[in-house]
Amino acid sequence: MDRSVNASRRAFLQRAAALSSLGAAATPLALNLAAMGQASAQTAGDYKAMVCIFLNGGNDAFNMVLPTDAASWQAYTTVRNQAPDPINLRAAGTAPVATAAIGSPDRLGGVLPLDPVNNQGRSFALHPVMTGARDLFAAGRLAVLPNIGPLVRPMSKTDYGNAAFPRPASLFSHNDQLAAWQTLGAEGSTAGWGGRMGDLLMAGNSGATFTSISAAGSAVWLAGRSVLQYQLSASSGAVRIGGQGATALYNSPVAMNSMRNVMRNARSNDLLARDLAAVVGRSIDAEQLVSAALPGANQAPYEATGSNAGLSSSLLWYDTMAGTRALNPLAQQLQVVARMMAARDALGVRRQVFFVNLGGFDTHDAQNRSQAELLARLSHAMAYFDGVLGAMGLRESVTSFTASDFGRTFTSNGDGTDHGWGAHHFVFGGAVRGRDLYGSFPQLGLPDGRGGFNSPDQISNGALLPTTSVEQLGATLGRWFGLSDGQLIDLFPNLLNFDASRRNLGFMS
């Protein structure tokens, strides 16, 4: 069949499914169209979900995943041991010094060794606070993706020196590179590759409204051309219009019913007024569906036994440096994601994309303490989510991955790092071929005296030149998610610039 016919048919089915989310006021025609879409669209009988964990600000991956072979460790120690506050971590096996300054590498102790299946002839470790991530790696449910970043095509260091060689626009810029990671385009792009996956698969969801879900506010990664992202509150779940109560607007069921009637019967000639009415009406219907279906945050397996000041102990992150316990906002976001997954049958979904985030990674200053705190939260939240999914029987059905604006410089500015390009990331879940590295781990070099580094993988200030593209990552996830090769090429057009053997990175079983 002609591709344009397939695309038109798919769009027709997607919009029909979207109409079905409008509730009782939807016309019989809309309901019939939705039924046709559900019958003829992709109808995998299983459930799969993808979760993007975005580390806002640009995570310093050099201190998250470290090569510890002799040559690499020597380069790492030499470059990062810069006054006044050196950021080089301590070697594996180094005991923590409890009397050392809070936030110092001595206080943390040594890095945590990893034992990958294919060690590439080297040795590796994680930041000392990432015990949860280490345990997931050892259990075979977490993999490391070295040196990923936005790329148009494979690029060597020589290519990088050629201004005419195609490259992503506005490198080293927060807004532009966030857009490059989430949309594969420039700042101002309106559709992300997570949302566009939702476009392709939402016809298989009878509750199309709940295909694309954020627990962290608006995220362009979730925005599709047809699919609309549904936003949840990490603390309260479904977001209600006005006041409290499952059915009341400002505590009045009459007011709620009156507003619903106004929204459903809007007949304005003003396009904006009609759109506003549709959005409000859809929000009311969605909130009622979610509130009825969402299990409570205080019940197992979402909350562990015990509490602290009314908070679930499973959501409390322990700051090993300061000796304090506090709510982990990332774990709380992942908790509401897990609760939405538990409601999948009631909400009529088989494929979902989720977005959560953790901010604070723009560590130009005071990196030792701030990054340690953030990586501890990330590691704790990953372990928490894995445990909840295990209790729900959903480990094999959910794959999560980390992303960030960019990596950072290998060089230190004295107490932090500056904007870079490539970075290491994690992917984890029961369907992940874990305890391994997928991609060539970069060689760490030393300054060459000419403003560069004597490594084929490092450019100015030691920033990493990516060897794996965001599109290769996305395509590997998309294939597991159920997309065809043709759909993947449409979604990730730069894949054609990469060797066919590298379009699937191989980390999904």
Side-chain angles (χ1 to χ4, degrees), residues 280-372:
V280 174
R282 187 167 58 240
S283 297
I284 293 171
D285 289 345
E287 183 273 323
Q288 290 187 324
L289 286 171
V290 172
S291 293
L294 203 65
N298 295 324
Q299 66 187 58
Y302 317 107
E303 179 181 8
T305 302
S307 64
N308 183 338
L311 299 174
S312 164
S313 62
S314 59
L315 299 182
L316 291 174
W317 152 73
Y318 183 68
D319 183 344
T320 55
M321 293 182 296
T324 59
R325 288 166 65 83
L327 177 67
N328 183 344
L330 182 59
Q332 189 175 37
Q333 291 173 51
L334 289 171
Q335 182 195 53
V336 79
V337 166
R339 292 163 59 205
M340 280 295 285
M341 292 174 178
R344 63 193 180 279
D345 291 338
L347 298 177
V349 287
R350 289 175 174 169
R351 293 292 184 272
Q352 290 182 289
V353 287
F354 292 89
F355 183 90
V356 298
N357 72 14
L358 181 63
F361 285 91
D362 196 17
T363 52
H364 291 282
D365 306 292
Q367 177 169 309
N368 276 325
R369 174 156 187 169
S370 60
Q371 193 195 26

Side-chain angles (χ1 to χ4, degrees), residues 46-76:
D46 58 337
Y47 171 79
K48 288 185 179 179
M50 189 184 306
V51 182
C52 175
I53 302 174
F54 204 85
L55 311 178
N56 286 92
N59 177 43
D60 175 22
F62 287 114
N63 266 20
M64 184 174 78
V65 184
L66 306 89
T68 57
D69 54 277
S72 298
W73 194 256
Q74 178 61 43
Y76 169 82

Side-chain angles (χ1 to χ4, degrees), residues 12-13 16-17 19-20 26-39:
F12 170 81
L13 295 174
L19 284 171
S20 72
T27 65
L29 174 60
L31 295 174
N32 288 336
L33 292 177
M36 290 166 57
Q38 294 162 30

Side-chain angles (χ1 to χ4, degrees), residues 119-377:
N119 62 21
Q120 303 182 13
R122 304 167 73 181
S123 56
F124 300 94
L126 294 179
H127 192 285
V129 301
M130 303 197 77
T131 53
R134 176 203 58 192
D135 294 345
L136 281 176
F137 187 88
R141 295 193 297 276
L142 182 145
V144 173
L145 309 177
N147 199 11
I148 291 182
L151 283 171
V152 176
R153 61 183 58 197
M155 177 183 283
S156 68
K157 197 167 179 177
T158 300
D159 296 329
Y160 179 74
N162 177 3
F165 195 87
R167 67 184 68 191
S170 303
L171 289 170
F172 315 110
S173 158
H174 281 293
N175 292 345
D176 294 279
Q177 294 311 295
L178 183 149
W181 255 97
Q182 295 194 25
T183 73
L184 312 175
E187 183 183 5
S189 299
T190 57
W193 55 271
R196 292 196 59 207
M197 285 186 182
D199 286 341
L200 295 169
L201 295 169
M202 75 177 190
N205 292 340
S206 58
T209 297
F210 307 109
T211 299
S212 176
I213 297 176
S214 174
S218 180
V220 69
W221 183 76
L222 287 175
R225 293 173 178 168
S226 299
V227 72
L228 301 173
Q229 58 181 298
Y230 181 75
Q231 295 183 31
L232 286 169
S233 165
S235 59
S236 60
V239 177
R240 295 168 181 166
I241 293 181
Q244 301 298 315
T247 60
L249 175 66
Y250 300 115
N251 297 314
S252 170
V254 174
M256 177 67 80
N257 289 331
S258 296
M259 173 174 278
R260 184 181 299 108
N261 290 335
V262 168
M263 295 301 109
R264 287 291 175 243
N265 297 299
R267 293 293 183 268
S268 173
N269 291 325
D270 187 306
L271 179 61
L272 291 178
R274 292 202 307 273
D275 279 352
L276 175 61
V279 169
V280 174
R282 187 167 58 240
S283 297
I284 293 171
D285 289 345
E287 183 273 323
Q288 290 187 324
L289 286 171
V290 172
S291 293
L294 203 65
N298 295 324
Q299 66 187 58
Y302 317 107
E303 179 181 8
T305 302
S307 64
N308 183 338
L311 299 174
S312 164
S313 62
S314 59
L315 299 182
L316 291 174
W317 152 73
Y318 183 68
D319 183 344
T320 55
M321 293 182 296
T324 59
R325 288 166 65 83
L327 177 67
N328 183 344
L330 182 59
Q332 189 175 37
Q333 291 173 51
L334 289 171
Q335 182 195 53
V336 79
V337 166
R339 292 163 59 205
M340 280 295 285
M341 292 174 178
R344 63 193 180 279
D345 291 338
L347 298 177
V349 287
R350 289 175 174 169
R351 293 292 184 272
Q352 290 182 289
V353 287
F354 292 89
F355 183 90
V356 298
N357 72 14
L358 181 63
F361 285 91
D362 196 17
T363 52
H364 291 282
D365 306 292
Q367 177 169 309
N368 276 325
R369 174 156 187 169
S370 60
Q371 193 195 26
E373 291 175 346
L374 292 169
L375 291 181
R377 293 179 195 176

Side-chain angles (χ1 to χ4, degrees), residues 377-400:
R377 293 179 195 176
L378 172 62
S379 179
H380 164 260
M382 290 165 58
Y384 163 77
F385 193 48
D386 173 77
V388 171
L389 293 177
M392 296 170 66
L394 284 180
R395 273 190 183 134
E396 299 288 333
S397 302
V398 180
T399 299
S400 306

